[in-house]
């Protein structure tokens, strides 16, 4: 059998148990190699492998299996690895790749170095996160790895071509491939796999020794049976794993023992608050497990999902809807509620991934938070000085808002902290907050080019400063005001143009005075926050997509309920009205210090305009969809003074221009803006969103005026700001289909 497109010519699998046999079977079934040779010390299993079609041929020895193979995979017990490597060393061919499937990587690397004298570039350790209660060649099946994770731990000098070929094999077997360092892999697995197995073995052994052991097992609830199922695993294999990953396992056992002692003490003393804090934090951690492991463990975050929007052209937008809660206010409600004294209740909380990451970060710092439950969150504040040191980096997903505001809050804490994010956030500039915070006395280290991660050293007192912002940014302003809560003296910020003032309004709502004098806002350090109730209005940034959609689609009539109308956020409405949009503001009222209203929007003939520069900071997040409005308008639209758009989740000026070009719309990009001549035909085509949620949703809106289908790639991050966007878009008449989503 020859398979010209297969990643490898000939694969040798040493050890035909469940994992080795399943990999061999998957390679054969998916034609990922021209030949699969197997070897096992158990001759009956080897013969059965050929009989069942798991392997093409059985080798009489390891040497025979390895000769001529360009991929060799070890699936042998951990403690047998070194002896097998000794037999492989003389016969493995130049250009071949050597890998394994063991659950500890440090021991495998140590064995390779002992045998070969180094870790050669063509050795790429691996570990599939899959298994079964059954074992042996009869349990092998080609779909074992489908929808499971495989972790590869290549060295920095690893052969990249070989790594890509090995990745292709695992992906061909149906797995999602992650990469991480050897040390991090073993720490993660010690915590998430090895410790649970140890506890299961210990618990069953303990209960088996009780006098009433028959009744204990007879009447055990389903949870007990489910948890202790893993105690039926192979004792010899786990004996080897615990000894080979000894150091990491001991660290996590010690940590777990300390935490278990704290729970015992809480139960003995009737300390319900501690129990509630631990249980609520654990519940949330279970639901957002990828966040707890910096997005790198068994469950991948959005950056690993591949979601594509397939848009059909045309449509009319009608209905009566409410978009999700304001993301900016959702972030701030958690932050200030956590630092307040008393219990803060929040309604309308945005249950998007960015907001949930902020919520989880405060749980990681010891704050008890109940919910969210249908937008309701209850925060048990710990006061200005009540945060606890997190156990590891605080993962903030895709949220630049969260990272910049957290930098201000954490700069004066007594403990060290580290802020990380996904691949998109890790490219965004953080010097704009790090530099003024350093001027206040903070000690902050950034990554290359002033980008994340941010490492903040605790125990440094802050002193208030006056800061003239070079570029209008609500995030920078809010960061410094929050740091100012902890600083000695007055901290004041002057902005060159008005930006959203949610932080100032919400601080006042929590009883902390903010002095405002024209373009300057200031706070005096040393005060306290008092818990309050917060009703988060619908996010005008999310409403903007539907405002434009109903404006450009024929015969449209859409009502948006309870939209936040903060004067520093309504730039999108002001701009659309200047373009001729038919937007009616109804039922205006003020709730919790924030103005809200219902918006009715109907089809209109839009006109191109020169966008007033004073409106730019008031609509900074809405410009991607405003570009779509401009493309559908009559005449020329000119945007200036919008440099800020180039350092968002993507360079939104260039990415939107590229996307419009892909659909046949020509634009002129300038350093601080764009020129769009409306009335050009929007055709079909493929658009790259570069993982930017607002780019994805903007081109979904563009489909309403397109002449052909539009494919929008890399749309997973829409969930960061607008969960439920696809369903709501369908409900209003936008012809959207999301492929590859969960």
């Amino acid at each position: 059998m020859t398979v010209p497109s297969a990643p490898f010519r000939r694969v040798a699998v040493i050890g035909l148990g469940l994992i080795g046999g399943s990999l061999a079977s998957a390679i054969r079934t998916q034609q990922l190699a021209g030949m699969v040779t197997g070897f096992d010390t158990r001759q009956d299993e080897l013969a059965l492998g050929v009989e069942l079609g798991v392997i093409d041929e059985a080798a009489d020895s390891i040497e025979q299996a390895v000769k001529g193979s360009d991929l060799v995979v070890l699936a042998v017990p951990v403690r047998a690895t070194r002896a097998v490597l000794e037999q492989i060393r003389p016969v493995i061919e130049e250009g071949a790749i050597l890998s394994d499937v063991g659950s500890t990587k440090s021991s495998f690397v140590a064995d390779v170095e002992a045998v070969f004298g180094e870790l050669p570039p063509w050795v790429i350790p691996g570990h599939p996160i899959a298994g079964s209660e059954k074992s042996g060649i009869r349990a092998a099946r080609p779909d074992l790895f489908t929808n499971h994770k495989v972790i590869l731990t290549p060295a920095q000098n690893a052969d990249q071509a070989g790594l890509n070929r090995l990745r292709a094999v695992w992906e061909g077997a149906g797995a999602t491939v992650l990469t991480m360092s050897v040390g991090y892999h073993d720490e993660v697995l010690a915590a998430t796999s090895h410790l649970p197995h140890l506890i299961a073995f210990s618990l069953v052994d303990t209960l088996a020794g009780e006098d009433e052991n028959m009744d204990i097992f007879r009447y055990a609830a389903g949870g007990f049976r489910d948890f202790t199922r893993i105690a039926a695993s192979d004792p010899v294999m786990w004996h080897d794993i615990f000894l080979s990953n000894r150091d990491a396992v001991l660290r996590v056992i010690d940590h777990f023992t300390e935490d278990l002692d704290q729970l015992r003490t809480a139960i003995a003393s009737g300390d319900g608050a501690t129990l509630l804090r631990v249980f609520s934090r654990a519940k949330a951690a279970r639901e957002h497990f990828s966040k707890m492991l910096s997005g790198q463990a068994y469950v991948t975050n959005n950056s690993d999902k591949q979601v594509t929007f397939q848009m059909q052209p045309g449509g009319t937008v009608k209905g009566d809807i409410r978009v999700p809660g304001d993301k900016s206010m959702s972030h701030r409600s958690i932050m200030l509620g956590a630092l307040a004294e008393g219990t803060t209740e929040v309604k309308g909380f945005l249950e998007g991934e960015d907001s949930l990451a902020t919520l989880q970060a405060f749980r990681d710092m010891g704050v008890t938070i109940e919910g969210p439950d249908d937008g309701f969150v209850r925060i048990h504040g710990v006061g200005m000085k009540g945060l606890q040191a997190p156990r590891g980096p605080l993962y903030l997903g895709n949220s630049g808002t969260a990272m910049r505001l957290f930098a201000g809050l954490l700069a004066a804490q007594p403990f060290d902290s580290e802020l990380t994010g996904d691949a998109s956030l890790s490219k965004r500039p953080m010097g704009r907050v790090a530099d003024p915070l350093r001027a206040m006395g903070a000690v902050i280290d950034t990554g290359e080019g002033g980008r994340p991660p941010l490492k903040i050293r605790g125990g440094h007192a802050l002193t208030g400063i006056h800061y003239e912002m070079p570029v209008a940014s609500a995030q920078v302003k809010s960061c410094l005001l929050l740091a100012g809560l902890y600083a000695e003296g007055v901290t004041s910020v002057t902005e060159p143009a008005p930006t959203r003032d949610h932080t100032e309004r919400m601080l006042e709502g929590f009883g902390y005075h903010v002095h405002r004098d024209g373009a300057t806002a200031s706070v005096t350090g040393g005060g306290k926050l008092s818990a309050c109730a917060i009703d988060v209005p619908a996010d005008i940034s999310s409403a903007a997509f539907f405002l434009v959609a109903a404006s450009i689609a024929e015969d449209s009539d859409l009502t948006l309920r309870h939209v936040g109308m903060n004067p520093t956020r309504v730039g999108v409405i002001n701009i659309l009205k200047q373009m001729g949009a038919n937007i009616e503001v109804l039922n205006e009222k003020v709730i919790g210090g924030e103005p809200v209203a219902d918006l009715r929007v109907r089809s209109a003939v839009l006109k191109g305009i020169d966008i007033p520069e004073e409106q730019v900071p008031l609509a900074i997040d809405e410009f991607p969809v405003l570009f779509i409005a401009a493309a559908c308008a009559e005449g020329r639209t000119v945007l200036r003074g919008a440099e800020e758009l180039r350092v968002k989740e993507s360079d939104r000026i260039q990415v939107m221009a590229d996307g419009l070009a892909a659909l046949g719309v020509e634009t002129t990009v300038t350093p601080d803006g764009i020129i769009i001549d409306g009335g050009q035909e929007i055709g079909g085509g493929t658009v790259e969103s570069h993982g930017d949620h607002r780019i994805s949703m903007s081109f979904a809106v563009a489909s309403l005026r397109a002449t052909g289908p539009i494919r929008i790639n890399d749309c997973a991050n829409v969930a960061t700001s607008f969960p439920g966007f696809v369903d709501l878009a369908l409900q209003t008449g936008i012809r959207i289909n999301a492929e590859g989503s969960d």
Side-chain angles (χ1 to χ4, degrees):
M1 177 177 68
T2 59
V3 187
S5 60
F8 290 95
R9 182 185 71 256
R10 177 188 175 98
V11 175
V13 179
I14 312 300
L16 295 178
L18 170 70
I19 300 298
S22 294
L23 178 58
S25 181
I27 291 173
R28 289 200 74 232
T29 300
Q30 300 300 324
Q31 296 188 329
L32 301 171
M35 174 73 70
V36 180
T37 300
F39 174 78
D40 199 286
T41 55
R42 300 162 296 181
Q43 290 300 313
D44 54 339
E45 293 285 279
L46 195 56
L48 195 56
V50 176
E51 181 183 332
L52 296 175
V54 173
I55 56 176
D56 292 305
E57 65 178 18
D60 294 331
S61 66
I62 289 176
E63 292 84 350
Q64 183 182 338
V66 171
K67 282 182 179 178
S69 296
D70 51 349
L71 172 62
V72 179
V73 181
L74 271 63
V76 300
V78 174
R79 309 286 275 191
T81 299
R82 187 169 301 189
V84 172
L85 288 171
E86 293 282 7
Q87 297 178 68
I88 288 174
R89 183 175 181 273
V91 292
I92 191 166
E93 298 195 354
E94 184 176 351
I97 298 298
L98 175 64
S99 189
D100 77 317
V101 298
S103 66
T104 61
K105 305 283 48 121
S106 296
S107 62
F108 176 71
V109 169
D111 286 339
V112 170
E113 291 174 339
V115 172
F116 292 91
E118 61 174 349
L119 180 63
W122 42 266
V123 176
I124 303 172
H127 177 207
I129 311 294
S132 168
E133 291 184 57
K134 299 178 181 179
S135 60
I137 195 72
R138 289 188 183 277
R141 62 178 206 267
D143 64 346
L144 180 69
F145 310 107
T146 301
N147 297 324
H148 284 75
K149 305 293 183 290
V150 171
I151 301 172
L152 300 180
T153 61
Q156 289 187 342
N157 68 334
D159 177 0
Q160 287 301 308
L163 175 60
N164 292 336
R165 294 166 70 200
L166 182 60
R167 180 191 293 271
V169 166
W170 283 114
E171 289 176 345
T176 297
V177 178
L178 306 176
T179 58
M180 61 179 66
S181 69
V182 167
Y184 186 62
H185 169 277
D186 286 358
E187 292 287 346
V188 168
L189 269 292
T192 59
S193 176
H194 303 168
L195 179 65
H197 277 82
L198 189 74
I199 294 170
F201 281 122
S202 177
L203 181 59
V204 172
D205 184 56
T206 297
L207 296 181
E210 297 288 327
D211 292 339
E212 302 84 8
N213 56 30
M214 288 302 294
D215 285 342
I216 288 173
F217 288 100
R218 182 180 293 118
Y219 299 115
F224 174 81
R225 291 194 298 272
D226 289 343
F227 175 69
T228 57
R229 173 187 59 81
I230 56 178
S233 302
D234 182 356
V236 174
M237 177 185 74
W238 282 101
H239 157 273
D240 292 353
I241 288 171
F242 286 125
L243 293 181
S244 62
N245 199 26
R246 182 191 64 181
D247 292 343
V249 169
L250 288 177
R251 279 193 292 274
V252 75
I253 288 175
D254 290 343
H255 197 164
F256 175 71
T257 302
E258 292 174 9
D259 287 354
L260 196 60
D261 281 343
Q262 290 180 8
L263 287 176
R264 187 189 188 286
T265 300
I267 293 170
S269 62
D271 181 0
T274 294
L275 294 178
L276 180 61
R277 182 171 65 250
V278 172
F279 295 165
S280 61
R281 189 169 65 219
K283 179 178 184 294
R286 178 64 180 85
E287 293 168 354
H288 308 288
F289 201 54
S290 61
K291 307 289 191 297
M292 290 293 289
L293 293 173
S294 301
Q296 296 293 317
Y298 297 171
V299 183
T300 59
N301 64 4
N302 270 336
S303 61
D304 294 302
K305 298 176 186 175
Q306 295 299 320
V307 177
T308 301
F309 287 172
Q310 298 284 3
M311 311 300 306
Q312 295 304 311
T316 295
V317 177
K318 294 181 181 292
D320 189 321
I321 63 173
R322 178 169 173 171
V323 300
D326 186 284
K327 184 166 70 164
S328 296
M329 292 183 63
S330 294
H331 281 304
R332 289 160 172 82
S333 69
I334 298 299
M335 292 179 175
L336 299 187
L339 298 175
E341 297 179 7
T343 301
T344 293
E345 294 188 344
V346 181
K347 293 192 298 183
F349 177 79
L350 172 65
E351 296 184 38
E353 294 186 12
D354 280 0
S355 306
L356 292 172
T358 290
L359 189 151
Q360 184 62 42
F362 277 100
R363 282 183 169 132
D364 292 346
M365 291 188 288
V367 180
T368 300
I369 303 175
E370 300 175 56
D373 182 10
D374 195 23
F376 178 78
V377 179
R378 181 179 288 115
I379 310 159
H380 298 268
V382 297
M384 294 286 290
K385 298 182 179 180
L387 296 179
Q388 301 172 14
R391 296 174 178 175
L394 297 173
Y395 177 80
L396 302 176
N398 189 240
S399 180
T401 298
M403 181 164 285
R404 292 183 179 121
L405 269 60
F406 265 106
L409 283 177
L410 296 175
Q413 299 299 328
F415 50 78
D416 292 351
S417 54
E418 180 177 349
L419 303 176
T420 68
D422 67 8
S424 172
L425 180 56
S426 298
K427 298 174 184 176
R428 298 179 67 181
M430 293 295 152
R432 55 176 54 188
V433 293
D435 290 341
L437 287 173
R438 289 172 183 138
M440 296 177 71
V443 179
I444 302 176
D445 296 325
T446 63
E448 184 179 353
R451 294 177 172 81
L454 297 186
K455 296 182 179 180
I456 303 170
R457 300 181 194 174
H460 293 271
L462 303 186
T463 302
I465 62 169
H466 174 69
Y467 186 66
E468 297 269 352
M469 288 201 302
V471 177
S473 169
Q475 295 176 4
V476 176
K477 175 180 65 173
S478 296
C479 165
L480 299 181
L481 291 177
L482 293 176
L485 303 182
Y486 290 91
E488 181 180 347
V490 176
T491 299
S492 58
V493 183
T494 299
E495 49 190 353
T499 63
R500 59 189 65 176
D501 63 354
H502 297 306
T503 298
E504 296 98 302
R505 287 173 180 259
M506 199 174 288
L507 280 170
E508 294 276 10
F510 278 89
Y512 206 112
H513 177 62
V514 180
H515 180 72
R516 294 192 241 195
D517 181 9
T520 301
S522 59
V523 295
T524 301
K528 70 174 185 176
L529 300 169
S530 299
C532 64
I534 297 175
D535 186 354
V536 178
D539 195 334
I540 195 169
S541 293
S542 297
F545 299 104
F546 292 95
L547 292 174
V548 172
S551 295
I552 67 174
E554 292 185 357
D555 300 322
S556 294
D557 189 344
L558 180 69
T559 299
L560 295 150
R561 299 291 182 185
H562 199 70
V563 178
M565 297 290 288
N566 185 298
T568 63
R569 297 289 300 282
V570 294
V572 62
I573 295 176
N574 298 337
I575 292 169
L576 284 173
K577 282 187 171 182
Q578 288 187 47
M579 296 177 74
N582 184 354
I583 300 173
E584 193 176 356
V585 180
L586 308 167
N587 302 324
E588 295 181 79
K589 52 191 170 183
V590 176
I591 296 180
E594 289 280 351
V596 299
D598 298 334
L599 302 176
R600 184 183 183 190
V601 56
R602 285 168 279 188
S603 305
V605 177
L606 301 181
K607 307 287 186 181
I609 63 170
D610 277 14
I611 296 173
E613 288 198 38
E614 71 270 11
Q615 294 296 319
V616 171
L618 309 185
I620 196 67
D621 283 335
E622 292 75 57
F623 275 112
V625 77
L626 284 171
F627 290 179
I628 302 301
C632 297
E634 296 179 354
R636 172 171 288 186
T637 296
V638 179
L639 171 66
R640 302 181 185 87
E643 303 96 329
E644 177 78 3
L645 286 173
R646 292 194 179 274
V647 291
K648 291 290 188 178
E649 282 83 338
S650 67
D651 178 343
R652 285 180 172 160
I653 294 174
Q654 190 62 54
V655 172
M656 284 299 300
D658 292 343
L660 286 167
L663 303 180
V665 177
E666 294 183 2
T667 64
T668 300
V669 171
T670 62
D672 65 341
I674 194 169
I675 301 170
I676 301 174
D677 288 313
Q680 301 179 63
E681 181 178 284
I682 299 176
T686 298
V687 172
E688 300 298 334
S689 77
H690 294 268
D692 190 325
H693 48 118
R694 299 200 192 278
I695 303 293
S696 301
M697 291 183 279
S698 296
F699 281 105
V701 171
S703 68
L704 290 160
R705 289 283 291 270
T707 59
I710 297 175
R711 174 188 173 95
I712 310 168
N713 291 329
D714 203 7
C715 301
N717 275 332
V718 167
T720 66
S721 66
F722 200 151
F725 170 74
V726 171
D727 291 340
L728 210 54
L730 285 168
Q731 180 183 324
T732 60
I734 299 173
R735 299 165 179 174
I736 184 171
N737 179 48
E739 297 181 351
S741 57
D742 293 334

